[in-house]
Amino acid sequence: MTTVITSSTKPPPPSHPIDVLNNDTARLYTHIHPVLVLSLYAFQFKAIVADPIPALTRTLIPLSILQIAYVAICLPPTGDTATAVPTTEKRKPGDKKKAEKGKLEREVGAKIIPAFLSLIIASAAAIPLLTTILILFGAPLTTHHAHTMLAAAHIAFLATLPLVYVHGVDGATWREIVALLKPVDEVYGGMIGTVVGAWLGAIPIPLDWDRAWQKWPVTIVTGAYAGWAVGKLLGGTLLKGRKIVFE
Amino acid sequence: MDKKHGETQFKAAHGLLVAFLTLIVVLHALGIYLFTSGFLLTRIVLDHRSECAAPPADGAAGSPQRGCWHPKTFEKAVVVLIDALRYDFTVPQPAEQAHHFHNALTVLHETAVAQPRQAFLLPFIADAPTATLQRLKGLTTGTLPTFVDAGSNFAGTAIDEDNLVSQLRRARKTIVHLGDDTWHALFPGHFDAELTRAYDSFNVWDLHTVDNGVSEHVFPLMHAANASKWDVVIAHYLGVDHAGHRYGPDHPAMAAKLRQMDAVIRDMIRQLDDSTLLVVMGDHGMDAKGDHGGESDDEIQAALWMYSKQPRFGRSSPAYAAPPQTAKERSVAQIDLVPTLSLLLGLPIPFNNLGRPIEEAFIGPAGADYHNLATVSRLTAAQIYRYQEEMASVQSMDEVARASSLASFGFANDAWDAAVKAADAGRFAHVYELYTVYQQETLDICKALWASFDLPRMLNGVTILTLTLVLLAVYARGVAGDVSELSPQLLSRGGFGALASSLIGAALPEVSRQHSIIYAVAMGSNLGIASSFWSLRRRLLFLLPTTIWGYLSATFAILLSVGFAANSFTIWEDEILLHFLSTFGLLSTLSSFRQPNMTDRVLGVYHSVLFVLLSRLASLSRLCREEQMPYCQSTYYASATSSTSATWQLVLPLIVALLLPTFIRGYYDGTLSYQNSAIMWLGFGLRFGLLLSAVYWTLDAADDGEWYPSYGGMLKTLKTVIAQVTLAIAIGVGAPTFIWAKPFLNIEEGPPHTHKPHPSKQIVPKGPNSGASIAVLGYGNVHGSRYAILITIWYLALALVQKPMGAGALALCAWQIFSLLEIVATNQLASSAIGPVILSLMGSFHFFKTGHQATLSSIQWESAFIPLHTIRYPWSPLLVVMNTFGAQILCAVAVPALVLWKQQPRKKGLLGDVARAVATHILFYASVSLATTMWAGHLRRHLMLYRIFSPRFMMGAMVLLVVDLVSVFVAVVGMRVSSLSVAEVFGVTM
């Protein structure tokens, strides 16, 4: 049903915030998702502190599954905008079952595959870029490369994957994303929150508290997770639709 | 005529602006001076040494064999220092009131009670700061350590004033040291190389390595077979201190540690021979959490115990038979150990000692030998008198107090003479008391002089700095319109306020005249300026930032300032600055992507990315401070332990000479400003100067490394001459170029279609009827290109006095400055606070990258000798300042360029914009300086005051004053030169 409308609707102007898909599952899961992700991280935290490389690597798998599930369930894939337009048609009770089945197949084609593609693109493009940025911000240049790369991977999975899923890979769109010209929504907010959180995560590193969790890159990743959750929440609610102004 | 008028008007406005900014500089200087005079306690270290053959009082001069000034009691000594041994650890408690630290180390109390003629135990009061290093100074010199012990050896930690250890060494005693390696920093080369075992004191989590190591080596030494191998053993145990830091005193680990110490001392008693003195003491106590450094009772109350196999000690009263129950009774000062130990071992008392002999050690087993006690007190007092005489000639003292103490000395001497004449043993008790009075009075004078902060001065200094900061913030960011037109009013009210209140200050009776006048003048001036702002209140803006850049600037300044309260953030300042600079670069990249104009967008992104890359590249140049170890690797010199450059680093100045002028030319080319004198200076003068500087550093390395030993003298002369020529190029070629050059414009003539459009070109028709038109090249950046020459001139002079690695870092700084100019221009940020603030961050960042740290030991004193053979005033200190604060100076010079770069020639209000930018730049350093000042004052009893907060405060104050002066007298004055030069062509625009 939705696809029918999609084919006949033009993409909205890029200045619209992304809305969560207009169904109960999406509206519900978008709030459950951060809880799941944060619980996953909290659950792995001790292991990450004890030995960051294997633990961070391991955590990437459930994180990517959760993120794929999140974008597939809650977000409109790139080019798919009908979901952003409120669907007002009423369904007949009899259509439901049939539609469900067809929908499931279409869902895989229309959602799961783009979600996987987003994962691959986010990994291939964002991880090297974010690793470079982390090093430019003062991450060790000659050592701890795996640590830094894993931190970049977590940030990429949190922030970039949903962005690629909803915005695709169009150059002009990404210029707007990078230039912070897009209106704030939960995906964009999540990205900004992740970056700000990772930035703030650097603050406790120099303190002489002699805590194990101060080791590289635990604070950065922790900050990114916390920032992502806060940014996503604020971006989807309070700040939704706001534009970032520099001047 | 009109032009002339405009010029005069500009000059007047400019002059008034300089005068007003100078007033701000003066206010900063007054605030800093007032705080510093109350905070930085200075003690002048006298190099004099006490001689065995020259006792201070008449009497039989002895010999090292029998005892120098007084017959010795012991031949040898074992001095056991149990770090952080608090007095109450040693006093038994009823079991029901006992903590873990009680009743574990009982041997001291037990022996003092059971064998009062062989042992005594007393509270041993430390002078703050209760840090081990400062305490060891006190325990060996007998004086009170202050922050600045101004002596010949300013940079190192080694003690160069007279002390117990060096007296032992001069008496040709063999000293063996075991334990805490701090002793080796203080007394390098004093200990027997073969028997000494030093252990790292750094790891407070390790309770046992040091202690076990000390015990392992001390007992074989005490064995009779080895008795002839040494004279004094110093065994410094650290376990109790570490247990305190790790667990706190009330913990089973502390009890175990103290029991271990108990067993060690019992073993020592067993092994001790008859002629050896055994001393056990703590250097300080610990607070309830087990930390120390401050001056709370728990931290200063240590324990002292002396033991001898033969009856040598006594008590003057039967009431004193048992050791005091608390540290409040019958305590002795830690400095009292110095004369006591000196006289017991027959050594002269160290020259600077202020302590007195401990009664129990000299009163004799019968507890009545007042003659002996008076004799040693007289010797000590006479040495103190000798010291006081020398001291009075170099440091001013409170005359009234001094006269009173001198009178006490006179009374004591008279009483002594009378007692000797009368040969009345009963009178010596009184003589002893009189000498003690004199000693106490002198000590009090010195304490007042060195050891107490003058809080009113500190507070008033902070008040002045705070108020000046607020007013400067209003001036820089809170006034609408052109601020340069406010100068007359601000200046007159500020000046009037200063004059009026100086009279009030002079009339204030309570505090010292100097203090009250300074305070009144500064406050009056501040209030005058404030009243001026009040009268302009319609033009005032709310100080809260309005743009993301404003917020970013404020965030950087506030985070950094607040962070200086924590030692970790102070230690890692360089990394924090890198983080901030990268943050700015990232945001400016994003902002550049937002630019609608494609050229702006590309240029902005390119320079932003370049800016971040250059910061990170510069960050590879590091000189680590001790506290950063082991997480930091120094790259500034050849190795972590050397202070000479590696050979490969000599290539850096050469690369800089070849590339940097080309890069800067690129920025000029970009605005078509590479014209006339700019070609001459950037293309030739600057490059040649930089090449010479590269040659200098190669010759310097050749001279240092003795590559050509036979030409040493020639190399020295040659390199000095080359350095002088380099400076001559900056001053003799660069400065005239800057002063007299015409604006960097050129003219192209031709038909209109031949002129390719360019933002920096102005195309005008040649005449009313001519088909041709004229293109003015460099039009769009005439102000910026003209002014920026000044940056390159200063760069040349500053680069010469940097080591090769520093030359590389400073070149990156210069390159970054030009990138920043482009970022600011393409993002239209000329009037924002972010440009001047980023320049401050860059100045601070590259300070670290040019091989400096906020520590006294990182000052590169040798830079005074780059163009000179000998020390010459004022040039030598100036060169050290240029070396130390080179980056901050360069960035301060660059501030007006932020406003002027790519600015139209007839742009209005440039003077006001420059004033605002310069004020913002100063504002950043002023807030850092105020923060470090307040933290240093607030944390004046902090363990890390002397290592971290004080040096950072001193640096902040120095930087503020240097940046103040450079901003006003180089940057703002330079702007006058370049503006007048542009006005020659385009007329004056106010």
Side-chain angles (χ1 to χ4, degrees):
Chain A
M1 237 195 306
T2 43
T3 39
V4 178
I5 302 162
T6 309
S7 58
S8 64
T9 321
K10 276 188 170 183
S15 54
H16 279 230
I18 302 288
D19 288 316
V20 174
L21 289 177
N22 191 19
N23 60 60
D24 292 343
T25 325
R27 274 193 297 263
L28 183 64
Y29 184 69
T30 194
H31 292 298
I32 296 174
H33 179 63
V35 178
L36 290 181
V37 170
L38 290 184
S39 315
L40 165 72
Y41 187 71
F43 181 67
Q44 290 289 333
F45 186 73
K46 261 195 180 148
I48 293 172
V49 170
D51 195 357
I53 295 181
L56 283 173
T57 317
R58 240 180 318 157
T59 313
L60 278 178
I61 299 162
L63 173 64
S64 57
I65 294 170
L66 281 174
Q67 285 287 79
I68 287 173
Y70 160 64
V71 295
I73 294 171
C74 302
L75 298 176
T78 172
D80 173 36
T81 51
T83 46
V85 180
T87 40
T88 45
E89 305 101 300
K90 283 167 189 162
R91 277 180 296 208
K92 287 174 197 166
D95 287 349
K96 201 175 179 184
K97 233 179 190 175
K98 214 172 139 192
E100 287 277 278
K101 200 181 176 192
K103 195 179 168 192
L104 192 74
E105 281 162 16
R106 279 199 307 277
E107 292 269 282
V108 173
K111 302 202 153 170
I112 303 295
I113 290 173
F116 264 106
L117 278 175
S118 309
L119 173 72
I120 291 164
I121 294 167
S123 312
I127 294 178
L129 186 69
L130 287 167
T131 308
T132 315
I133 291 178
L134 284 175
I135 289 177
L136 287 174
F137 269 71
L141 183 65
T142 51
T143 58
H144 294 77
H145 289 148
H147 296 77
T148 310
M149 213 134 79
L150 283 166
H154 279 262
I155 295 172
F157 282 17
L158 285 172
T160 329
L161 188 155
L163 273 175
V164 177
Y165 183 81
V166 297
H167 293 299
V169 290
D170 175 49
T173 314
W174 272 89
R175 178 182 85 81
E176 284 184 17
I177 295 173
V178 169
L180 301 178
L181 284 165
K182 290 261 176 209
V184 173
D185 52 49
E186 65 168 76
V187 177
Y188 210 37
M191 185 271 279
I192 295 167
T194 312
V195 173
V196 172
W199 191 91
L200 291 173
I203 291 178
I205 296 178
L207 287 168
D208 57 353
W209 294 347
D210 289 324
R211 297 301 152 99
W213 53 259
Q214 283 177 297
K215 69 168 72 157
W216 183 255
V218 177
T219 55
I220 305 285
V221 178
T222 311
Y225 272 84
W228 169 78
V230 173
K232 179 178 175 298
L233 182 67
L234 291 180
T237 54
L238 264 184
L239 303 176
K240 186 161 180 181
R242 292 254 194 120
K243 285 258 202 171
I244 294 160
V245 192
F246 269 56
E247 301 306 320
Chain B
M1 189 60 208
D2 188 35
K3 189 175 158 187
K4 194 92 195 146
H5 177 70
E7 212 179 281
T8 317
Q9 214 182 355
F10 174 79
K11 283 180 179 169
H14 184 276
L16 286 167
L17 173 64
V18 169
F20 169 65
L21 291 175
T22 310
L23 179 64
I24 297 286
V25 180
V26 171
L27 288 173
H28 282 157
L30 291 179
I32 289 169
Y33 172 76
L34 207 54
F35 179 86
T36 309
S37 64
F39 174 72
L40 268 197
L41 311 160
T42 310
R43 179 172 66 93
I44 293 168
V45 170
L46 300 179
D47 286 335
H48 302 63
R49 276 164 210 286
S50 295
E51 301 289 338
C52 187
D58 55 315
S63 67
Q65 285 74 37
R66 287 186 295 113
C68 281
W69 295 355
H70 189 70
K72 67 166 113 170
T73 319
F74 296 97
E75 292 296 328
K76 300 162 52 152
V78 175
V79 179
V80 178
L81 211 162
I82 299 178
D83 212 293
L85 179 65
R86 205 163 77 187
Y87 183 70
D88 60 345
F89 293 0
T90 66
V91 182
Q93 289 290 325
E96 61 273 16
Q97 291 171 20
H99 293 278
H100 284 292
F101 50 78
H102 284 133
N103 304 332
L105 176 56
T106 52
V107 59
L108 309 181
H109 195 272
E110 193 180 298
T111 44
V113 171
Q115 304 153 295
R117 296 175 171 203
Q118 284 172 255
F120 65 85
L121 171 66
L122 290 172
F124 195 41
I125 306 301
D127 299 296
T130 47
T132 297
L133 184 112
Q134 309 292 341
R135 285 292 80 239
L136 293 186
K137 278 191 180 183
L139 282 168
T140 53
T141 60
T143 186
L144 312 168
T146 58
F147 178 67
V148 185
D149 288 349
S152 50
N153 182 3
F154 191 50
T157 46
I159 296 181
D160 51 8
E161 62 187 311
D162 201 6
N163 63 74
L164 259 177
V165 179
S166 71
Q167 284 294 351
L168 282 167
R169 184 104 184 115
R170 281 153 64 93
R172 302 190 186 287
K173 305 276 189 192
T174 306
I175 319 161
V176 179
H177 165 257
L178 306 168
D180 187 339
D181 60 355
T182 312
W183 289 83
H184 292 261
L186 295 173
F187 308 102
H190 281 61
F191 302 112
D192 183 83
E194 220 173 294
L195 299 172
T196 290
R197 297 284 183 280
Y199 295 87
D200 188 9
S201 57
F202 193 67
N203 187 1
V204 295
W205 296 104
D206 179 356
L207 268 55
H208 300 297
T209 307
V210 179
D211 290 4
N212 294 346
V214 174
S215 294
E216 182 192 331
H217 292 98
V218 76
F219 287 109
L221 285 173
M222 290 182 73
H223 200 271
N226 293 321
S228 61
K229 289 188 178 166
W230 54 271
D231 297 296
V232 172
V233 174
I234 297 166
H236 192 150
Y237 285 93
L238 285 172
V240 173
D241 179 56
H242 288 185
H245 282 302
R246 185 164 174 183
Y247 301 110
D250 196 11
H251 189 278
M254 178 63 82
K257 200 75 223 174
L258 289 170
R259 273 193 290 274
Q260 182 195 353
M261 290 297 113
D262 188 73
V264 164
I265 296 164
R266 285 178 201 275
D267 277 351
M268 285 179 172
I269 291 174
R270 250 189 306 273
Q271 293 208 21
L272 199 69
D273 64 31
D274 282 357
S275 61
T276 305
L277 167 70
L278 177 59
V279 183
V280 174
M281 62 188 174
D283 55 346
H284 49 73
M286 59 176 71
D287 64 14
K289 300 197 310 299
D291 299 320
H292 55 89
E295 56 172 353
S296 70
D297 280 354
D298 277 344
E299 289 165 278
I300 60 171
Q301 292 168 350
L304 172 71
W305 175 82
M306 289 198 186
Y307 180 84
S308 151
K309 281 269 156 151
Q310 295 296 318
R312 302 278 184 230
F313 306 133
R315 309 281 189 276
S316 61
S317 152
Y320 299 163
Q325 198 58 30
T326 72
K328 294 282 175 207
E329 308 151 45
R330 286 168 50 216
S331 63
V332 296
Q334 294 209 339
I335 50 174
D336 294 347
L337 179 79
V338 174
T340 307
L341 215 51
S342 299
L343 295 168
L344 287 176
L345 293 174
L347 298 167
I349 299 169
F351 196 88
N352 295 352
N353 166 62
L354 293 170
R356 64 164 173 261
I358 295 169
E359 189 178 285
E360 279 76 357
F362 297 97
I363 192 104
D369 193 353
Y370 281 104
H371 181 259
N372 188 41
L373 195 56
T375 309
V376 291
S377 297
R378 175 166 172 264
L379 277 169
T380 311
Q383 177 53 44
I384 292 174
Y385 176 74
R386 195 143 78 170
Y387 170 69
Q388 198 185 11
E389 287 290 283
E390 289 295 336
M391 202 58 197
S393 63
V394 290
Q395 189 163 20
S396 63
M397 292 187 177
D398 184 342
E399 284 305 321
V400 180
R402 185 159 173 264
S404 143
S405 87
L406 288 180
S408 304
F409 187 57
F411 291 143
N413 280 335
D414 291 345
W416 166 267
D417 290 340
V420 170
K421 213 180 222 169
D424 178 359
R427 291 165 83 162
F428 284 110
H430 181 57
V431 175
Y432 161 63
E433 271 164 29
L434 288 174
Y435 278 120
T436 305
V437 167
Y438 167 67
Q439 179 266 347
Q440 192 59 49
E441 280 181 7
T442 313
L443 184 62
D444 291 342
I445 295 173
C446 291
K447 269 193 180 158
L449 202 58
W450 303 328
S452 50
F453 296 104
D454 188 338
L455 283 181
R457 272 179 181 258
M458 288 162 64
L459 277 176
N460 288 340
V462 167
T463 313
I464 296 170
L465 289 174
T466 310
L467 205 53
T468 312
L469 182 86
V470 171
L471 295 173
L472 190 63
V474 172
Y475 180 78
R477 309 302 331 160
V479 183
D482 189 340
V483 287
S484 69
E485 65 192 38
L486 308 182
S487 313
Q489 195 194 4
L490 291 172
L491 194 60
S492 56
R493 291 206 185 190
F496 176 75
L499 280 181
S501 52
S502 68
L503 300 175
I504 303 171
L508 280 178
E510 282 300 316
V511 278
S512 91
R513 170 101 355 141
Q514 181 210 37
H515 177 174
S516 55
I517 290 183
I518 288 177
Y519 184 63
V521 164
M523 290 308 278
S525 187
N526 268 328
L527 292 178
I529 297 170
S531 80
S532 179
F533 284 134
W534 177 250
S535 72
L536 293 163
R537 60 192 173 280
R538 292 229 171 74
R539 273 178 71 179
L540 294 192
L541 307 167
F542 198 45
L543 266 180
L544 219 60
T546 50
T547 69
I548 216 165
W549 299 112
Y551 275 106
L552 194 66
S553 314
T555 308
F556 286 159
I558 291 168
L559 276 186
L560 208 58
S561 301
V562 171
F564 286 125
N567 44 7
S568 312
F569 290 133
T570 312
I571 292 167
W572 292 100
E573 190 183 349
D574 52 345
E575 292 291 297
I576 294 169
L577 290 166
L578 172 66
H579 198 68
F580 284 1
L581 287 175
S582 303
T583 306
F584 165 73
L586 186 74
L587 266 181
S588 73
T589 312
L590 307 188
S591 160
S592 300
F593 270 120
R594 295 167 79 95
Q595 297 308 315
N597 179 320
M598 193 62 178
T599 324
D600 279 351
R601 196 188 299 170
V602 173
L603 268 182
V605 170
Y606 167 72
H607 287 293
S608 302
V609 172
L610 181 66
F611 184 88
V612 176
L613 288 174
L614 293 178
S615 306
R616 189 67 175 98
L617 189 60
S619 76
L620 300 179
S621 163
R622 300 181 90 174
L623 181 86
C624 307
R625 59 187 291 165
E626 207 184 322
E627 295 83 358
Q628 289 181 323
M629 308 312 275
Y631 305 108
C632 175
Q633 198 159 19
S634 288
T635 54
Y636 196 73
Y637 295 116
S639 73
T641 51
S642 89
S643 56
T644 52
S645 302
T647 316
W648 71 265
Q649 290 173 333
L650 298 177
V651 185
L652 291 175
L654 196 66
I655 296 175
V656 168
L658 294 178
L659 294 183
L660 189 70
T662 312
F663 292 148
I664 295 178
R665 183 196 157 164
Y667 290 90
Y668 274 70
D669 275 336
T671 59
L672 308 176
S673 305
Y674 193 61
Q675 316 285 359
N676 329 329
S677 322
I679 302 176
M680 205 266 292
W681 170 250
L682 293 178
F684 183 71
L686 176 64
R687 192 186 297 273
F688 186 63
L690 289 174
L691 270 177
L692 282 183
S693 143
V695 172
Y696 169 84
W697 284 104
T698 311
L699 291 178
D700 178 68
D703 180 27
D704 256 8
E706 301 194 330
W707 297 352
Y708 307 103
S710 40
Y711 298 100
M714 209 183 88
L715 279 178
K716 263 191 189 40
T717 318
L718 190 61
K719 73 174 189 184
T720 314
V721 170
I722 285 178
Q724 287 167 351
V725 172
T726 313
L727 288 179
I729 290 175
I731 299 163
V733 182
T737 306
F738 177 70
I739 296 169
W740 287 296
K742 297 265 167 282
F744 306 134
L745 299 167
N746 213 340
I747 283 172
E748 256 175 15
E749 249 180 82
H753 60 88
T754 56
H755 300 301
K756 270 197 278 176
H758 188 285
S760 295
K761 247 184 213 180
Q762 196 199 29
I763 302 168
V764 286
K766 194 176 177 192
N769 303 320
S770 144
S773 62
I774 300 171
V776 185
L777 308 184
Y779 177 85
N781 189 21
V782 64
H783 279 291
S785 63
R786 186 66 183 75
Y787 180 82
I789 288 294
L790 189 63
I791 306 174
T792 60
I793 296 165
W794 274 86
Y795 168 70
L796 175 60
L798 294 168
L800 171 72
V801 295
Q802 303 298 332
K803 303 266 166 77
M805 197 71 171
L810 203 64
L812 293 178
C813 178
W815 193 1
Q816 271 190 303
I817 288 174
F818 281 95
S819 270
L820 181 67
L821 297 182
E822 288 289 344
I823 295 170
V824 165
T826 52
N827 286 286
Q828 290 92 43
L829 297 174
S831 59
S832 166
I834 193 73
V837 167
I838 291 300
L839 275 179
S840 318
L841 290 175
M842 280 170 59
S844 315
F845 175 67
H846 287 281
F847 165 83
F848 294 99
K849 300 303 135 195
T850 49
H852 301 96
Q853 280 291 350
T855 59
L856 289 172
S857 54
S858 75
I859 299 175
Q860 300 168 18
W861 297 107
E862 63 278 17
S863 54
F865 297 99
I866 289 170
L868 297 169
H869 286 296
T870 52
I871 291 191
R872 273 200 223 154
Y873 293 95
W875 309 115
S876 302
L878 203 63
L879 286 161
V880 176
V881 167
M882 280 171 65
N883 168 284
T884 310
F885 303 119
Q888 285 102 333
I889 294 173
L890 189 65
C891 290
V893 173
V895 173
L898 291 169
V899 174
L900 301 173
W901 194 255
K902 289 191 174 172
Q903 206 63 267
Q904 294 296 314
R906 295 199 177 83
K907 165 97 173 158
K908 286 195 172 180
L910 279 183
L911 185 63
D913 289 349
V914 167
R916 191 170 274 163
V918 166
T920 310
H921 188 68
I922 294 175
L923 184 65
F924 177 91
Y925 287 112
S927 71
V928 167
S929 171
L930 173 63
T932 51
T933 304
M934 292 200 311
W935 297 135
H938 179 65
L939 300 168
R940 60 191 178 282
R941 298 300 180 195
H942 192 281
L943 174 64
M944 288 293 161
L945 175 74
Y946 290 72
R947 284 170 73 125
I948 292 173
F949 298 111
S950 250
R952 189 61 189 82
F953 146 69
M954 288 162 79
M955 177 193 155
M958 278 295 287
V959 168
L960 177 61
L961 293 178
V962 168
V963 167
D964 269 349
L965 292 172
V966 171
S967 294
V968 179
F969 297 106
V970 179
V972 177
V973 170
M975 187 259 177
R976 171 191 147 119
V977 172
S978 73
S979 289
L980 288 176
S981 161
V982 173
E984 287 281 306
V985 179
F986 294 99
V988 181
T989 329
M990 286 285 284

